[in-house]
Every structure is written in structure tokens, then in C-alpha cells.
Amino acid sequence: MDPFYREYLDQEICRAGTNCVKWDELEKTFGRGDLAAAWVADMDFRTAPAVQQALAERVEHAIYGYTENADAEKAAEVGWLKRRHGVEVDPEWILYSPGVIDSLFFSVRALTQEGDKILIETPVYGPFYRAIELFHRTMVKSPLLETEEGWRMNFEDIEQKFADGVKMMILCSPHNPLGRVWTRDELGRLLALANRYGVIIVADEIHADFTFDGHRQIRILSLEGSDNCVMLTSATKSFNLAGLRQSSCIVRNPELRRKIADEITRAHAGSPNLFGAIAQTAAYNHGDEWMDAVVEYIRENRDYVVDFLRENLPEIKTRPQEGTYLMWLDFTAIDMTHEQIIDMLVNEAHVAINSGLDFGAEGDHHFRLNLASPRANIVRVMENIKNTIRGR
């Protein structure tokens, strides 16, 4: 890694007092504010210098009125997807919305009816559940299988449920919180089943830029037969821009695209965030080196935690994630209830990590650790957990 980026990412930046959820909401969420935070899925890294520069230049203009999406913004995203992921996207396929979850909600409302069955693979990101419940669809769960080789889709279960009338599947790719990067064969098999039974796949690919050890994100629209798929993506996760509210809903099928566009229009949510659009364009045009450095830094943090647990806390199990900056920790071997573990982590270890129950009932005795932080913070979190468990 370039020494500039090593120093850039190593630096601990105080985020307290910036209205950030991860640090300023600790007391409200956990009951105390003196915690080392490794929970909310944003990064404690400054964004790419090119993004900061582009925003600063636009700030200097000092007029921030109504705006429209520029052709240059779509061109930057098309270029990024081609350059980084090998997927060809027509600019006409791109719809903009404030966030990936907003796009998910729009897709559910636009492409299904009340009572329709929607399948999710559990445990999974909490808003997937809310998208189904909020709009009175019927939730169908297909639990992922934990095998000796890692987490796997249960294709037999998926086919049975597709055949039983599922209308849509919400796919997490890469998977949050388990960190799987689905292979081309896995996605191809899933897509074949979806097409056989007329199921629309909505793929949340917001973590697509974070993959490790030769695992490669296969974008759903790069696969043959993906006409009935919706690809949700954003630069906000990759470049730590979540507060700027900008995402893309990319749909090849013109009929599906029209329905989602109509839903976005009805919600009056299609007008771009001026600074979100500028930041995303700069990120996609000039952020390659920064992105490469961040991925490498997170991989090193991941390897540090894997080695730390193996050497100091072997009772806490994990698998080195293939993608995302989120690690799934298994506390099952610790003889405490889930609630007791939470109390220990917060009130004795003074760390904030996500409860696995945020991702469904399968998350009992599991926790999600955010690795996108300077190494010093990750060391602090792990040492606090070790000292607490070993001191009991």
C-alpha cells in the first residue's frame, strides 16, 4: 500500500459532535457513550481526497439550488462498473433514488402487490424484513446453510418456495452480515430457478467494491438471463458518503424500470442531492487508488481479528469474510444468554457491536463487527473483549 494511504487510513479522526450515528448515538442506543464503536456500517476513514476536493470546489460557488442529474454522473458510474466489475450498463438503465433501501422499498411497491410472497435468505440485513412487513407482503425465509466449507444457499429449499408462488427475492450480494461473495455458478443457478418460476430478483449490491482473496463480485446484470433483475448500488458505502444520500437502481427491463420510475416519481424522490451527485461522480472517476487501499486495509484488519481470536479467544468463532467490511462472530460457545453477552460487551468491555438478532432469529449468540476503522480502534475493541472475558 502507498505510504500516503497507509498514513491517511491509520489516522483516528474524532467524529463525536458531527451528528454521526456511529459515535454520537452510542448513549441513546447502548445506554452509555464511553464505548469503542464498531457497529453501524459506515467507515471511520476520510473519503477519497478527490471527492473532498470536488465538494470543496462546489461549496465555493455558494449557490445550491435545484439541480438535475448530469450526463457526466451516469458516465462516471458506467465507467466504474465496466472498469471495476466488467459489467456493461446502458446509462438509460440507471434510476436515481436517495438510498439503496429507498430503492428496495420502491421496487417492492412497484413490482409486487399486497400479500405477494417475497423470499429472503436469513440471517440478513434488517431493512429486508421491514421492506416486506411495511408494505404488507408475505415473508418467506430460506435460511442459509452453514457447512464445513462456509455458508451456502439452500437451493432445494429455494426452488420449493419459488414453486409455491414466490413473486420476488431480495438478494444480498455480497451478503450482509455473513460476508459471502456469491460465485458465478451460484448466481447462475439461482437465476435459472428464478426464471423458471417467474421470480423477480432485487439484488442489493451496495458492498460490491469490498472483496478479498481473489473473490470477485459477480454483478447480477452481468449474467445471461438477468432481464427480470434489479441491481441496487451506490458509492456511499464504498466511499463513506452515506450522509449525502445518493444511490442507483439499475434495471435493464424497460417495463420493470418504468414501474419503479413511476414509484420514485410518486414519492417525489427523484431529484438528486447536489453534493451526493458531485461526490459520486468524483469517486467513480478518480477513486480507484483510494478504493484499492481501503480494501487492502480492511483485509489486514480482518486478518488481524482472525488471528487475534485464534490466539486469544478461540471460543469465539468466525470465518474470514470474502466480502464486505463486516465480520460475523459466533459466541455460541460462551455459556451466557444473548442478553448477558450484550451486557458484558457494553458495560464491561465498553464496546459497541451489532447484535446478531438485528439480522433475524438465526443471529442468536452472534454479533456483527465493523472492520472499517483505523487499526488502533480495532485493536482497542478486541483487547477490551479479551480482557473482559479472560477477567471474568
Side-chain angles (χ1 to χ4, degrees):
M1 185 188 304
D2 187 300
F4 168 81
Y5 285 116
R6 174 75 64 191
E7 181 178 356
Y8 193 85
L9 300 172
D10 266 338
Q11 186 175 0
E12 291 193 270
I13 305 295
C14 179
R15 299 180 64 189
T18 64
N19 295 326
C20 73
V21 172
K22 188 174 186 178
W23 293 90
D24 288 327
E25 294 290 302
L26 285 171
E27 186 159 0
K28 178 180 177 181
T29 304
F30 294 93
R32 59 191 307 158
D34 59 340
L35 307 178
W39 59 304
V40 175
D42 70 5
M43 299 192 283
D44 291 320
F45 306 131
R46 290 172 292 170
T47 192
V51 173
Q52 185 176 9
Q53 180 181 349
L55 290 171
E57 290 174 357
R58 185 61 181 85
V59 165
E60 285 298 314
H61 185 267
I63 300 176
Y64 318 124
Y66 292 116
T67 188
E68 289 292 337
N69 291 112
D71 291 342
E73 183 182 1
K74 289 190 174 182
E77 183 159 21
V78 168
W80 181 267
L81 290 169
K82 173 63 176 177
R83 190 169 69 251
R84 305 286 296 196
H85 298 281
V87 57
E88 300 275 0
V89 167
D90 188 316
E92 293 299 316
W93 301 352
I94 302 174
L95 305 173
Y96 289 115
S97 85
V100 162
I101 297 308
D102 304 73
S103 296
L104 174 59
F105 285 11
F106 294 142
S107 298
V108 167
R109 286 209 303 262
L111 305 179
T112 63
Q113 303 295 321
E114 286 195 13
D116 280 353
K117 294 179 178 179
I118 299 179
L119 184 142
I120 56 175
E121 294 178 296
T122 57
V124 75
Y125 184 46
F128 285 21
Y129 297 89
R130 293 201 296 276
I132 298 168
E133 294 166 346
L134 185 63
F135 303 115
H136 308 292
R137 274 52 172 176
T138 301
M139 189 178 305
V140 178
K141 299 179 183 179
S142 181
L144 290 158
L145 301 174
E146 187 171 16
T147 71
E148 290 296 324
E149 293 76 34
W151 293 93
R152 296 289 182 265
M153 294 188 190
N154 188 338
F155 286 106
E156 291 73 21
D157 182 63
I158 291 171
E159 180 167 14
Q160 179 182 344
K161 288 167 178 173
F162 279 6
D164 195 36
V166 165
K167 299 297 184 184
M168 175 182 286
M169 176 181 179
I170 306 174
L171 173 69
C172 202
S173 177
H175 192 276
N176 172 12
L178 302 181
R180 268 303 316 275
V181 175
W182 307 116
T183 66
R184 182 174 295 276
D185 286 345
E186 286 171 315
L187 291 174
R189 184 175 177 185
L190 180 67
L191 194 54
L193 289 174
N195 288 334
R196 183 182 308 165
Y197 294 101
V199 176
I200 296 168
I201 294 180
V202 178
D204 174 356
E205 299 186 2
I206 196 170
H207 289 275
D209 288 312
F210 300 95
T211 59
F212 315 103
D213 306 329
H215 295 282
R216 185 169 183 267
Q217 173 72 11
I218 305 301
R219 294 285 193 162
I220 196 73
L221 291 182
S222 71
L223 296 170
E224 185 177 351
S226 57
D227 282 351
N228 287 327
C229 295
V230 176
M231 187 172 87
L232 309 183
T233 189
S234 176
T236 58
K237 196 69 67 178
S238 303
F239 289 89
N240 210 22
L241 306 170
L244 296 183
R245 304 285 286 145
Q246 176 80 355
S247 81
S248 303
C249 179
I250 306 179
V251 196
R252 178 189 291 114
N253 184 310
E255 180 62 18
L256 299 186
R257 186 167 66 249
R258 181 191 64 77
K259 289 180 179 180
I260 297 171
D262 288 348
E263 195 64 45
I264 293 172
T265 299
R266 277 193 289 272
H268 199 65
S271 296
N273 178 314
L274 169 62
F275 291 104
I278 289 169
Q280 178 162 295
T281 302
Y284 284 155
N285 280 334
H286 308 293
D288 290 78
E289 287 187 3
W290 183 90
M291 190 77 248
D292 290 341
V294 167
V295 169
E296 176 63 13
Y297 195 97
I298 292 168
R299 184 197 62 76
E300 292 175 0
N301 279 352
R302 181 204 65 179
D303 292 348
Y304 162 78
V305 173
V306 169
D307 291 342
F308 185 95
L309 291 175
R310 184 182 300 117
E311 295 169 10
N312 298 283
L313 293 166
E315 61 268 44
I316 300 176
K317 306 297 183 184
T318 192
R319 296 179 183 277
Q321 77 266 27
E322 300 166 354
T324 81
Y325 51 72
L326 306 165
M327 180 176 281
W328 192 237
L329 304 178
D330 182 351
F331 281 67
T332 304
I334 293 180
D335 187 20
M336 301 169 69
T337 67
H338 189 85
E339 292 71 23
Q340 287 171 334
I341 297 171
I342 292 175
D343 182 71
M344 175 188 68
L345 291 171
V346 172
N347 294 312
E348 297 180 45
H350 294 180
V351 300
I353 59 179
N354 286 101
S355 165
L357 293 177
D358 293 345
F359 307 91
E362 297 88 348
D364 185 51
H365 278 77
H366 291 73
F367 292 82
R368 192 189 73 175
L369 173 69
N370 181 346
L371 297 171
S373 198
R375 174 65 64 84
N377 187 54
I378 301 302
V379 170
R380 189 176 302 122
V381 168
M382 299 312 299
E383 289 288 345
N384 285 8
I385 294 174
K386 180 196 74 172
N387 292 338
T388 297
I389 291 177
R390 289 292 168 256
R392 290 177 69 87

